[in-house]
């Protein structure tokens, strides 16, 4: 096959010979650039990371420890009550499997909760046990009461963020926010900078964040000052995000006037 087999009339625009020996090197250069760009992000795969005993009836897989927060996946045995570490004033929970209670609030699979981290809001697994995502922090504006909603219900309380993408706020601390993000199949979010570190926990579906595919049960921490490539999904995605989430960072670039 020659060039004119693909696009007749274009041969005059192409060199007489395209060196096949250079093709592999050009591809490898792109791979190396992609790897260098993506390696700045801390990504934990669902089949990676180390589980360790947290107490006799609970274990955890740490995801990230930053100056602002501790994030982990937890598994609680049936009826287990999670001991509360000191130093934190707020807890955010997404129940992934089983059932649980946070204080007086009963949690079903898929529920997201933001609550004070105190003796009145102990986390207890139900009769089936529980697997959950937990983020502990100590913001200046800690919640005074529990906010709870189901991530599985797409109703009018979700806000449009960009075409095909909706968000629902779990906590708002001014420059920092925690939201649940729902992306329809085929939707995308533009590439964006991170004024603060950004945490992403994929709950269901999958999406490419830049060149990294994040699947359900996987986590990524983007450091402050980093830049994410476009977020796009072919099958749809549901995930938790904590960061600055400045809408201006995600807005389409203005079209130059001619």
């Amino acid at each position: 096959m020659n060039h004119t087999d693909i696009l007749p009339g274009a041969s005059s625009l192409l060199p007489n010979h395209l060196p096949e020996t250079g093709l592999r090197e050009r591809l490898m250069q792109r791979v190396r650039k992609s790897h260098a760009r993506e390696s700045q992000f801390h990504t934990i795969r669902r089949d990676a990371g180390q589980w360790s005993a947290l107490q006799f009836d609970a274990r955890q897989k740490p995801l990230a420890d930053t100056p602002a927060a501790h994030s982990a996946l937890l598994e609680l045995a049936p009826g287990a009550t999670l001991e509360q570490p000191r130093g934190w004033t707020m807890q955010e929970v997404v129940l992934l499997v089983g059932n649980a209670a946070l204080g007086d609030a009963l949690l079903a699979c898929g529920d997201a909760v933001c609550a004070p981290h105190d003796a009145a809001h102990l986390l207890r697994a139900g009769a089936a046990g529980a697997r959950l995502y937990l983020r502990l922090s100590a913001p200046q504006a800690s919640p005074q009461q529990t906010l709870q909603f189901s991530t599985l219900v797409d109703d009018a309380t979700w806000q449009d963020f960009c075409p095909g993408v909706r968000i629902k706020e779990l906590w708002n601390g001014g420059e920092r926010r925690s939201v649940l993000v729902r992306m329809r199949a085929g939707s995308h979010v533009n590439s964006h900078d991170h004024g603060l570190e950004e945490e992403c926990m994929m709950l269901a579906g999958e999406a490419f964040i830049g060149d990294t595919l994040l699947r359900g049960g996987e986590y990524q921490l983007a450091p402050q000052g980093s830049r994410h490539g476009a977020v796009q999904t072919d099958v749809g995605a549901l995930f938790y995000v904590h960061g600055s989430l400045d809408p201006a960072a995600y807005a389409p670039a203005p079209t130059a006037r001619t």
Side-chain angles (χ1 to χ4, degrees), residues 186-250:
S187 63
H188 77 279
V189 176
N190 291 332
S191 56
H192 52 277
D193 297 316
H194 297 123
L196 299 169
E197 76 278 356
E198 180 180 279
E199 297 183 65
C200 176
M201 180 70 207
M202 187 65 65
L203 304 174
E206 61 183 39
F208 273 98
I209 304 180
D211 290 340
T212 298
L213 177 64
L214 211 63
R215 303 166 297 171
E218 298 182 337
Y219 171 91
Q220 187 178 86
L221 172 67
Q224 182 178 12
S226 62
R227 180 175 177 80
H228 258 149
V231 182
Q232 47 197 339
T233 176
D234 295 326
V235 300
L238 174 66
F239 51 97
Y240 163 96
V241 174
H242 176 92
S244 58
L245 298 174
D246 179 5
Y250 302 85

Side-chain angles (χ1 to χ4, degrees), residues 91-121:
Q91 53 188 328
E92 296 171 83
V93 175
V94 182
L95 187 61
L96 306 175
V97 178
N99 50 59
L102 187 62
D104 295 331
L106 299 179
L107 310 184
C109 183
D111 280 2
V113 185
C114 179
H117 187 253
D118 56 29
H121 296 85

Side-chain angles (χ1 to χ4, degrees), residues 19-233:
E20 296 296 331
T21 56
L23 177 59
R24 186 177 188 280
E25 179 56 30
R26 292 197 300 274
L27 290 175
M28 291 306 300
Q29 286 179 359
R30 295 192 63 175
V31 169
R32 287 191 290 268
K33 288 181 180 179
S34 173
H35 176 73
R37 183 173 58 250
E38 298 300 313
S39 63
Q40 66 184 311
F41 307 116
H42 174 62
T43 303
I44 297 184
R45 298 301 185 187
R46 57 192 179 193
D47 54 355
Q50 296 294 321
W51 287 89
S52 60
L54 189 60
Q55 55 193 57
F56 79 95
D57 52 4
R59 66 174 191 158
Q60 71 165 341
K61 181 166 81 169
L63 300 173
D65 282 292
T66 72
H70 168 75
S71 295
L73 288 174
L74 269 63
E75 288 185 349
L76 305 181
T81 297
L82 184 65
E83 298 174 3
Q84 290 187 325
R86 297 179 180 179
W88 307 113
T89 59
M90 184 174 83
Q91 53 188 328
E92 296 171 83
V93 175
V94 182
L95 187 61
L96 306 175
V97 178
N99 50 59
L102 187 62
D104 295 331
L106 299 179
L107 310 184
C109 183
D111 280 2
V113 185
C114 179
H117 187 253
D118 56 29
H121 296 85
L122 294 175
L123 185 60
R124 304 183 306 277
R131 181 176 178 138
L132 54 96
Y133 169 73
L134 173 67
R135 184 180 189 275
L136 300 174
S137 59
Q140 293 183 348
S142 296
Q144 301 302 309
Q145 57 188 6
T146 298
L147 172 63
Q148 175 183 1
F149 61 83
S150 174
T151 64
L152 306 180
V153 178
D154 187 6
D155 56 23
T157 62
W158 291 71
Q159 299 177 333
D160 291 332
F161 187 68
C162 57
V165 181
R166 307 186 77 199
I167 65 173
K168 187 165 183 176
E169 190 171 87
L170 186 62
W171 175 75
N172 190 331
E175 67 174 359
R176 293 180 179 271
R177 298 171 65 197
S178 297
V179 300
L180 278 298
V181 180
R182 185 187 301 274
M183 299 183 68
R184 294 181 181 176
S187 63
H188 77 279
V189 176
N190 291 332
S191 56
H192 52 277
D193 297 316
H194 297 123
L196 299 169
E197 76 278 356
E198 180 180 279
E199 297 183 65
C200 176
M201 180 70 207
M202 187 65 65
L203 304 174
E206 61 183 39
F208 273 98
I209 304 180
D211 290 340
T212 298
L213 177 64
L214 211 63
R215 303 166 297 171
E218 298 182 337
Y219 171 91
Q220 187 178 86
L221 172 67
Q224 182 178 12
S226 62
R227 180 175 177 80
H228 258 149
V231 182
Q232 47 197 339
T233 176

